[in-house]
């Protein structure tokens, strides 16, 4: 699946969720469940790629500010939430995580002292849920994904996370993420 098709599926789910009022992750499962099995597997592979590309200290620092702290598991959910924002916000975040300070949900969460903005765990599992819906078999997704990946594509290359720094150092956070720090510190 090329990157444009991946983002088209994300945007279709975003539009559907807006129209229906349903949560994004449910709309994404619905969109994916209408795709052929192979395309769901390709979506899962592309999702992992864009998800892994955000596995960086500066993005984690943004999640830490927005979430009032951020564990390994929560950082997975945050990256899924950034993907759920769509291609434009994803690309802005990848370029400069501090740009999230301009997203309405982040601004609203900061003023309401709500620490779950952009943390969307269920988005991580949309492909497997769609695959299960098609097959009726909970285990089928893992098995099919493993077979798909072993056919020439392996997941999990080493990622350069960039420079590590102390998220609890307010001055460092203000220097690296000034707009987010202004909202959250």
């Amino acid at each position: 699946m090329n990157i444009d098709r991946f983002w088209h599926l994300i945007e279709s789910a975003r539009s559907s969720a807006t129209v229906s009022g349903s949560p994004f992750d449910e709309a994404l499962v619905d969109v994916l469940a209408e795709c052929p099995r192979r395309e769901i597997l390709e979506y899962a592979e592309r999702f992992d790629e864009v998800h892994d590309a955000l596995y960086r200290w500066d993005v984690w620092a943004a999640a830490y500010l927005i979430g009032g702290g951020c564990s390994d598991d929560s950082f997975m959910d945050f990256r899924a939430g950034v993907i759920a924002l769509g291609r434009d916000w994803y690309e802005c975040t990848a370029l400069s995580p501090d740009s999230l300070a301009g997203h309405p949900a982040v601004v609203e969460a900061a003023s309401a002292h709500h620490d779950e903005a952009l943390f969307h765990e269920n988005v991580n599992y949309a492909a497997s849920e769609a695959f299960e819906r098609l097959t009726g078999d909970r285990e089928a997704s893992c098995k099919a994904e493993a077979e798909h990946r072993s056919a020439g594509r392996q997941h999990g290359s080493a990622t350069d996370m960039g420079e590590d720094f102390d998220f609890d150092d307010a001055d460092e956070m203000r220097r690296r993420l000034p707009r987010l720090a202004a909202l959250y510190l």
Side-chain angles (χ1 to χ4, degrees), residues 10-24 27 30-31:
I10 295 292
E11 291 305 327
S12 293
R14 288 174 48 75
S15 294
S16 178
T18 299
V19 169
S20 69
S22 64
F24 171 78
D30 291 342
V31 166

Side-chain angles (χ1 to χ4, degrees), residues 83-175:
I83 293 167
L85 295 176
R87 187 176 202 164
D88 291 343
W89 278 104
Y90 174 88
E91 289 176 352
C92 285
T93 302
L95 185 62
S96 171
D98 201 37
S99 66
L100 286 169
H103 193 279
V106 173
V107 173
E108 181 181 330
S111 63
H113 303 289
H114 181 270
D115 62 1
E116 293 186 19
L118 306 187
F119 291 80
H120 297 291
E121 178 181 12
N122 292 339
V123 173
N124 289 307
Y125 311 111
S128 58
E129 288 183 32
F131 204 87
E132 180 182 343
R133 188 182 293 174
L134 286 178
T135 64
D137 182 357
R138 183 173 296 274
E139 305 299 317
S141 175
C142 293
K143 194 175 187 181
E145 191 171 330
E147 290 172 6
H148 177 75
R149 290 187 192 281
S150 70
R153 302 170 195 87
Q154 290 299 318
H155 173 65
S157 60
T159 302
D160 178 8
M161 291 184 65
E163 182 184 355
D164 187 6
F165 56 97
D166 184 359
F167 298 167
D168 291 317
D169 181 337
D171 290 336
E172 186 69 11
M173 294 296 264
R174 283 186 185 96
R175 185 176 74 76

